[in-house]
Every structure is written in structure tokens, then in C-alpha cells.
């Protein structure tokens, strides 16, 4: 079986996902094209250099519909002989794109791929595609569907995490992200977003709030309490599934949950032969990939069982991992991961995460793989694991090792 290597990883800064966000004027196609062009130019790719572009995006309607991946290729400087595949595994779409590319290479279906994703949440609102699991009563009732925020609060209740626990993690995420930017830790991978005239639109993550402290977070109202307890009363549905809980403790709010942002990221994955052809040195080997389904009501616990699975399947232990990137969809997701595996918090999300910098759904999986790779190199570590929780109850993970 052919090994799959990461040769390069880039991302855009993340812009606030609203009308006054810096990237609001940029379409998902144009932002994706800038990422594709960066990978092409940085690595001297020409002609049919890669077998395919696999691109994740979650809300596949309007300008993000119609096989966005192929449209992005045509809007970029890549050769038109390169096709495109748009995929959706909700929040893990960008990671699944990378994992799929790696496994295609392992199986002999091409020597190189560009994989990643995009989400312009300020232009194409989350949920505007009308997911059946949420809007079809026959499915929602059978699965005991509740919104993700309620699921995050179920995790907090089930595993004993307090509001202070969640807020403390959020404050630390903000501090780490600010420190990482101050130390230029993202410079290697950052692609400045420019307009059609070549003028800079955004060069830095703009969602961050480094002044955040426990006092400011303590003043925020729980975001999901009303929809849980009053209308439409999702707590009752959750308690039907988890009758051993007396009530749902609503601890999550805007400050300890991931930010709504715009952004894109891409990873160049190839075989050893590909690198030799283009004179490129691999930065890491994709050692293992995994995905799993989980309970759709609590929904967001996926990082735990998928990590158990990937370690077991590949004969590894949690102690074999030097660094972790666990997507900060909600604070309780990361708290549960650290609780289950008893890992050092200093080895998890070293440079902050989605609570501080935002979570552009289809891109985040590729972003955290790139962030993990950069940090492994910076800190001279060897093996890292990236993982995300996924809507409707799934988990995905990738293990990379430096070469």
C-alpha cells in the first residue's frame, strides 16, 4: 500500500460571519480559488498535477451548491483537466476530504490530491439547506433530535462540567490564540485574502477577543436555555432519551461556543513519487484515518469513540500522541475528550481553537490538520491527532506523523 504524505497546508484568515465581516464580499468559490492558487504557486504545480480536488462544504445551496469544488477549480489557475468533488460530512467535511484523498492515494487511485473545504457562513447561513434530520418530523422523532447547543449542554450535564469549567476553557482558548498570533505561529500557512485588484481584504483572524475573562463571560446568558425549557422545549425530548438526568444544565453561550465565521483551507496530499516528480519534500505522513457514528441526541461525543477506534485499529495508545487538535465546537466537547483520555490540557489545542478564532464548518477539519502539522514542527514533536465532533452523531479523526 502506498503511503500518503502532506506536502503543504494553507488556510485563509477567518472573517466574522456576518454582513460587516471582512470576507463578506467574497464568495465561497472565489475564496476557494485563492486557496487553490496558493497551493499551486507554492508548490509549482502545472498541468494535471493532481488527480482531483476534494472540497468539503456543509451548506450546499445557492452559491455553495452545484459541486462547488469543480467551480472553484475553474475559477482558479489550476488546469481545467483537474475535476472536483464536493463532499459533506457536516463539521468534519474538510477533514474527510483530506482523509479521502489519503485513502485514494493508498489505494492507487492517483498520486496527488488537493483536499480541504470552505464555508462562508455570513453569506450562506447555517441550516438554510433544510436538513431532514431537523425538519422532517418522522426522522426527528425517531432520533430524538435536539439542536447542537442542547446536545452540548447534555454532555455537560452527563459528565459533570460546570459553567466555570466551560468558561475557563474559553478564556484559555482566547489567550492561546492571541499568543500564537503574537508569535507568528500561523505565518507559514496563512494566505492573505485579496480583492480583484490585489488589495488586501483580510490578513488576520478577526473573530478573536483576547480581552475575554471569566467576569465578561459570566455576564452572558445561556444561549440554549429558553429553547430547552420554554419553546419549543427540547429538554423534554432529551430527558426522554436520558431519563436518569433530572434536568439539563445549560452552560453554553456565545463566549464558550465556536464562532460563526467565513474561511477556507486546503492540504496538498501526495505519494512519495509525486514529491520526487515535483521536487517537494513531504512534511508529514498521514498515518491513520477513522470515522464513526454515535448517538444522534447527545450528538457531539464523537471525538471520544473515534479516537478509541483509530488507536485500536492501528495498534496505538493515547500516550503515543504528542499533540491533539480537538475542535472547539462547544467547550464541553473538549472537556469530555480530556476527561476520557486524561490528557495534559497543555497538549490540546496549543494555539487556541474555534472558540477563539471561529468554526467555518466545511473548512475547519482541514484547518486543524494544518495547525497540528505546523505546531508539531514548531515544537519539534512527532505525532499528532486531530478530531472533530459532527452533527447528527458522528466523529472523525486523523493521525499524522512528521517525516
Amino acid at each position: 500500500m502506498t503511503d500518503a504524505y502532506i506536502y503543504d497546508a494553507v488556510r485563509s484568515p477567518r472573517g466574522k460571519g456576518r454582513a460587516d465581516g471582512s470576507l463578506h464580499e467574497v464568495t465561497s468559490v472565489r475564496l476557494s480559488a485563492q486557496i487553490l492558487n496558493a497551493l499551486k504557486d507554492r508548490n509549482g504545480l502545472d498541468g494535471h498535477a493532481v488527480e482531483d480536488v476534494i472540497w468539503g462544504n456543509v451548506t450546499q445551496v445557492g452559491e455553495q451548491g452545484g459541486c462547488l469544488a469543480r467551480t472553484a477549480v475553474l475559477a482558479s489557475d489550476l488546469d481545467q483537466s483537474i475535476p472536483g468533488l464536493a463532499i459533506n460530512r457536516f463539521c468534519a467535511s474538510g477533514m474527510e476530504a483530506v482523509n479521502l484523498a489519503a485513502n485514494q492515494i493508498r489505494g492507487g487511485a492517483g498520486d496527488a490530491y488537493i483536499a480541504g473545504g470552505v464555508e462562508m457562513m455570513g453569506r450562506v447561513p447555517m441550516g438554510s439547506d433544510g436538513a431532514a434530520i431537523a425538519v422532517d418530523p418522522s426522522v426527528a422523532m425517531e432520533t430524538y433530535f435536539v439542536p447542537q447547543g442542547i446536545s452540548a449542554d447534555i454532555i455537560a450535564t452527563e459528565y459533570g462540567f460546570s459553567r466555570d469549567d466551560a468558561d475557563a476553557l474559553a478564556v484559555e482558548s482566547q489567550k492561546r490564540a492571541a499568543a500564537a498570533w503574537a508569535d507568528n505561529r500561523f505565518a507559514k500557512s496563512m494566505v492573505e485574502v485579496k480583492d480583484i485588484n490585489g488589495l488586501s481584504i483580510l490578513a488576520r483572524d478577526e473573530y478573536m477577543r483576547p480581552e475575554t475573562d471569566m467576569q465578561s463571560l459570566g455576564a452572558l446568558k445561556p444561549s440554549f436555555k429558553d429553547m430547552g425549557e420554554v419553546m419549543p422545549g427540547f429538554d423534554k425530548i432529551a430527558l426522554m432519551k436520558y431519563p436518569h438526568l433530572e434536568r439539563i444544565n445549560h452552560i453554553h453561550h456565545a463566549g464558550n461556543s465556536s464562532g460563526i465565521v467565513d474561511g477556507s483551507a486546503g492540504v496538498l496530499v501526495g505519494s512519495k513519487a509525486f514529491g520526487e516528480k515535483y521536487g517537494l519534500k513531504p512534511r508529514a505522513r498521514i498515518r491513520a484515518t477513522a470515522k464513526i457514528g454515535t448517538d444522534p441526541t447527545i450528538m457531539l461525543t464523537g471525538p471520544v469513540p473515534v479516537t478509541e477506534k483509530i488507536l485500536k485499529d492501528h495498534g496505538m495508545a493515547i500516550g503515543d500522541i504528542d499533540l491533539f487538535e480537538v475542535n472547539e465546537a462547544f467547550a464541553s466537547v473538549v472537556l469530555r475528550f480530556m476527561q476520557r483520555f486524561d490528557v495534559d490540557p497543555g497538549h490540546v489545542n496549543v494555539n487556541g481553537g474555534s472558540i477563539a478564532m471561529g468554526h467555518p464548518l466545511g473548512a475547519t477539519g482541514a484547518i486543524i490538520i494544518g495547525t497540528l502539522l505546523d505546531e508539531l514542527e514548531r515544537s519539534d514533536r512527532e505525532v499528532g491527532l486531530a478530531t472533530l465532533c459532527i452533527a447528527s452523531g458522528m466523529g472523525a479523526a486523523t493521525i499524522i506523523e512528521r517525516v
Side-chain angles (χ1 to χ4, degrees), residues 1-8 50-56 85 87 92-116 266-271 286 289 291 366 369 398:
M1 186 175 292
T2 302
D3 281 332
Y5 298 94
I6 297 176
Y7 285 92
D8 201 5
V50 298
E51 188 74 16
D52 204 352
V53 170
I54 307 176
W55 217 239
L85 172 65
I87 68 168
S93 296
M95 174 176 284
E96 189 62 32
V98 175
N99 291 354
L100 179 57
N103 291 328
Q104 291 277 83
I105 291 167
R106 286 196 183 106
D111 278 335
Y113 288 75
I114 292 176
V267 180
L268 177 60
V269 185
S271 65
I286 298 179
T289 70
K291 58 270 188 182
I369 288 174
T398 307

Side-chain angles (χ1 to χ4, degrees), residues 248-269:
I248 306 300
N249 183 21
H250 293 286
I251 69 165
H252 288 93
H253 50 74
N256 59 27
S257 306
S258 57
I260 293 175
V261 296
D262 303 324
S264 182
V267 180
L268 177 60
V269 185

